[in-house]
Every structure is written in C-alpha cells, then in structure tokens.
Amino acid sequence: MERGILHVDANCYYASVEMQRNPELRDKPIAVCGSQKERHGIVLTASYPAKRSGVKTGMAIWQAMQACPSLIVVPPDYPEYIRISGMMREIFNSYTDLVEPFGLDEAWLDVTGSQELFGSPVEIAEAISARVKFELGLTVSIGVSNNKITAKLGSDYKKPDAITRIMPDNYREIVYPLPVEDLLYVGPATSCKLRCVGIGTIGKLAECDEDFLHRRLGKVGLVLKTFAMGLDPTPVQRTDHVQAIKSVGNGSTAPRDLVNDDDVRIMLYLLSESVALRLRELGSRCMVVEVYVRDNALVSFTRQRKLRQPTCSSAEIAETAFDLFKRNYHWDKPLRGVGVRGSELVDATNGVQLSLYADARKRDRWEQIDGAMDDLRQRYGYLSVQRAISRLDPLLAGVDPSQHTIHPVGYFGG
C-alpha cells in the first residue's frame, strides 16, 4: 500500500485564534506582534486582509503600519495558542497515532494504516478539515502525498481552507513549475546560490546534475535534489518521539542596543548560564562553543571554537564566546542581540584525558559553583543569585534567559 502522508497547516494561526475569540476582529487587517517594549516588536502572524495590504511575517511593527495604516495590532497570548494547538492535536490523534508536530500550527500525519477505518487520505483530510472548522472555528490547509516534503508543498500550494493532493501521477504538473524557494529548507542563501546558476524552479533542481549540485552546495545539494524529485523516505515520528539533542543554545534580543564589550560580556554570561544549566540537566558537556552576533541593521554572523576538553562550566563557555566575539567583531555598528551555543555534546560521565596546560581543579570548582547556583535559583527564582558582572547594568541583568532557552530539533534528526 502506498504511504498516505498529510501535512496540516492552520491558516494564519495566531491571528485566527484571536479572531475566533473576538469576532469583532474578523475580516479586518490584524497582526499579532511581539512586545515593542522588550524589542521583540515584529509581526508574528497577520490576517489575510493584512497580508493583502503588504504586511508580512517578520516585519517590524512600524513597517507593517506603513504598509497598512488601518492595521490592528494584537499582543500574543501563547498559553491560549498552546491550548488550542493541543485541541487540534486531539483531532489528529483520533485518526492516527503517527502525528509529528512542526510547530504549534503544523503537523505531519501518517494515515497509511488508517485507510481501512476512515477512507482514503483525501477523505481523511476532508474529515479533519471539517472537524477543525466545526469544533475550533479555525481553517486549515492540508497537503496529501506519499511523503513529508511533498505533503508540505501541498499545504502551501493553496490557502486558505484548501486540500491539495500531490501524488506521482500529478507531481511534475503541480510541483515542477513552483519557485525553488517553495521547497522546504531552501532558504535565502541557498536560493541565491541556485538562482545564480539558473536554477529557479523545483523542476530545474530535480533535473540538475548531481555532481554539479555537490560542488555548489555540498551534501545538502544532493538532499535537496532528492526532495525536488518528490522522494523522501523519512518516517512521521510520534509526538512523544524524542530526538537525540546534538546542541544546546540560547539567544536574546537585548532590551537596548549593546554598544561596548562590557555590554556583550554581561549578555554572554547570562546566556551561557542557561546553556550550561541545560547541559547539566542533560548530563552532557560540550566540545564546541559558538557565538552568534546580530547588529542593529540585522546583519549577523556566527563563529565557533573547539575546546581542549568538554565542559559544562558557564564561566568557561562565556569566556570562550567572549574571546570569539572580540576576535571577530570591531564595533562597526551597535548590536541588537547575541547568542551562545554548545555543540558536539558528550556524556558528562565519560573520562577525559587531563591536560598539562589546563587546571582541572579550577574547572571542577566552577562547575560546583554553577551547581550551587542552580539549586538556589530552583528554590528562590532566577534572580535570587546573580554574578557581580551583571550589576554593571541592571537593565541588561534583568533579562531572564531561562524563559527562552532553545532546544533545537532538526528535520533530519534520528
């Protein structure tokens, strides 16, 4: 039996939830936006009337207001979005236990084994669409295919409130003319590289020579060609499937522009503490430290360094990140945000070869101090104990990185 894979995508999800609970907002140009006070003032989701006026996800609020002067700005209510998302997942789970979330508003469903009970994949998609609309008051777009990548193309192909079937019998007709950017994981940088050599559609990518793609893009070029050909054997994972975590990172937009080394050092220590805490929770240490920098013109770069020995010491992670920053940034512009990541994780219980050039006892003491800080913060709150460096700027020190720790999970994870 051919696989039946659905990709269900809630249309303008945050905005749709807001319109559902406040009917006065329906059919009006609204945008759910982050807090301007905390410098997260960008459009998270816009309604279709707002989109037709030129409002796009990721725009700054002032840009969105210029595009649509009548725009109604609504603050996000994440607990409500999570609650509604859970109700939507309950509907999915009534048709299959193979449901793989892709954010709050999207999910893949493998309905191959459900067809004897509920009908063809298209019929199951129609039933899910009707139930979501009736029970939650939301609309979804659903792609129906035999693999995850093509199902995602299907849900994006026609919006809102649509079901698009893309199978081998109509794949070339529908998919080949689409712009290459429509393919999952073809971002701006990859798109630029492809278009520079005349590959502007998914069909051109599918027919491109493998050796040429490998030279231009490396291994990812071959993966993207496979996707463009409509081939993707990756399984739909259950919701409770836990992938092996390969890195732990945290980044933040600062409450004000960072204008000197001291500002950056404060932020890096705050972020490194949350990264080190997560490493200890995982029973891991990192072998590589990476720093991410974004200036106030939204230009960014990352740099990384391999350590002599694995660590979960916040001080060592912070100082490594700070040294990377100083070697690579020369203050052309103030900074809007920074980030820290620990990768190449190893088991913390594994023995390591001691170095003549490293003070193992000093590292152990720092890790013990980190552990004591963990205990205090768990009992009395994050701000109950702070490093002295944070007192240099109370505004920056008020950032609580524990509220936005990132635990990356990739599409290709096992």
Side-chain angles (χ1 to χ4, degrees), residues 243-305:
Q243 297 182 353
I245 295 177
K246 299 178 181 178
S247 66
V248 175
N250 200 347
S252 177
T253 299
R256 64 167 175 79
D257 281 351
L258 309 178
V259 296
N260 56 45
D261 287 352
D262 286 341
D263 289 348
V264 173
R265 198 158 183 252
I266 291 171
M267 289 295 295
L268 290 179
Y269 261 96
L270 290 171
L271 297 169
S272 296
E273 286 181 350
S274 66
V275 170
L277 170 61
R278 181 61 174 147
L279 288 172
R280 290 189 292 275
E281 290 175 343
L282 293 169
S284 301
R285 289 188 170 94
C286 67
M287 281 297 302
V288 172
V289 172
E290 179 182 292
V291 66
Y292 163 85
V293 172
R294 181 177 60 174
D295 66 27
N296 63 358
L298 303 184
V299 176
S300 61
F301 71 83
T302 59
R303 296 291 184 272
Q304 64 180 29
R305 176 182 298 165

Side-chain angles (χ1 to χ4, degrees), residues 149-207:
I149 293 294
T150 308
K152 178 77 168 74
L153 282 169
S155 67
D156 291 337
Y157 185 73
K158 193 183 297 182
K159 293 177 180 288
D161 194 15
I163 296 171
T164 303
R165 175 190 173 275
I166 305 178
M167 287 292 188
D169 60 346
N170 65 349
Y171 182 83
R172 290 185 175 227
E173 177 187 348
I174 294 177
V175 175
Y176 271 28
L178 297 177
V180 71
E181 294 82 6
D182 284 3
L183 195 64
L184 195 61
Y185 299 108
V186 175
T190 302
S191 167
C192 182
K193 291 177 183 178
L194 291 171
R195 287 191 173 273
C196 283
V197 293
I199 301 174
T201 65
I202 294 177
K204 288 272 190 179
L205 177 59
E207 296 167 351

Side-chain angles (χ1 to χ4, degrees), residues 25-305:
L25 296 176
R26 289 181 184 173
D27 301 322
K28 293 182 179 178
I30 78 165
V32 178
C33 302
S35 168
Q36 286 181 290
K37 182 179 179 181
E38 297 177 5
R39 289 166 43 97
H40 299 295
I42 62 171
V43 175
L44 304 174
T45 309
S47 65
Y48 283 104
K51 288 182 176 181
R52 286 193 288 270
S53 297
V55 178
K56 297 179 181 179
T57 299
M59 269 187 173
I61 293 177
W62 65 268
Q63 292 175 311
M65 294 297 293
Q66 283 187 338
C68 179
S70 60
L71 186 69
I72 301 171
V73 175
V74 180
D77 184 350
Y78 293 112
E80 179 67 5
Y81 306 151
I82 293 170
R83 186 181 74 86
I84 298 297
S85 176
M87 296 170 69
M88 194 156 51
R89 300 267 165 77
E90 288 181 9
I91 294 175
F92 302 162
N93 288 330
S94 65
Y95 293 91
T96 176
D97 62 338
L98 293 174
V99 178
E100 181 179 343
F102 195 56
L104 281 180
D105 58 338
E106 301 179 49
W108 281 288
L109 287 68
D110 187 334
V111 297
T112 307
S114 306
Q115 297 180 54
E116 291 294 329
L117 289 173
F118 302 111
S120 69
V122 171
E123 290 172 328
I124 295 173
E126 290 170 346
I128 289 173
S129 176
R131 283 191 59 186
V132 170
K133 189 182 299 182
F134 178 75
E135 296 177 23
L136 304 180
L138 305 178
T139 63
V140 293
S141 292
I142 304 178
V144 181
S145 188
N146 60 0
N147 67 77
K148 290 163 65 176
I149 293 294
T150 308
K152 178 77 168 74
L153 282 169
S155 67
D156 291 337
Y157 185 73
K158 193 183 297 182
K159 293 177 180 288
D161 194 15
I163 296 171
T164 303
R165 175 190 173 275
I166 305 178
M167 287 292 188
D169 60 346
N170 65 349
Y171 182 83
R172 290 185 175 227
E173 177 187 348
I174 294 177
V175 175
Y176 271 28
L178 297 177
V180 71
E181 294 82 6
D182 284 3
L183 195 64
L184 195 61
Y185 299 108
V186 175
T190 302
S191 167
C192 182
K193 291 177 183 178
L194 291 171
R195 287 191 173 273
C196 283
V197 293
I199 301 174
T201 65
I202 294 177
K204 288 272 190 179
L205 177 59
E207 296 167 351
C208 189
D209 180 70
E210 289 187 4
D211 290 337
F212 177 77
L213 280 175
H214 190 268
R215 289 195 301 272
R216 293 290 299 180
L217 300 176
K219 292 181 180 179
V220 73
L222 304 181
V223 174
L224 293 177
K225 174 181 169 67
T226 302
F227 288 170
M229 294 170 64
L231 305 174
D232 172 27
T234 55
V236 173
Q237 304 285 5
R238 286 181 172 85
T239 303
D240 58 357
H241 172 76
V242 178
Q243 297 182 353
I245 295 177
K246 299 178 181 178
S247 66
V248 175
N250 200 347
S252 177
T253 299
R256 64 167 175 79
D257 281 351
L258 309 178
V259 296
N260 56 45
D261 287 352
D262 286 341
D263 289 348
V264 173
R265 198 158 183 252
I266 291 171
M267 289 295 295
L268 290 179
Y269 261 96
L270 290 171
L271 297 169
S272 296
E273 286 181 350
S274 66
V275 170
L277 170 61
R278 181 61 174 147
L279 288 172
R280 290 189 292 275
E281 290 175 343
L282 293 169
S284 301
R285 289 188 170 94
C286 67
M287 281 297 302
V288 172
V289 172
E290 179 182 292
V291 66
Y292 163 85
V293 172
R294 181 177 60 174
D295 66 27
N296 63 358
L298 303 184
V299 176
S300 61
F301 71 83
T302 59
R303 296 291 184 272
Q304 64 180 29
R305 176 182 298 165

Side-chain angles (χ1 to χ4, degrees), residues 349-364:
T349 61
N350 288 349
V352 295
Q353 177 66 51
L354 297 180
S355 169
L356 294 173
Y357 306 102
D359 187 342
R361 286 178 297 182
K362 181 178 180 181
R363 173 180 286 171
D364 288 343

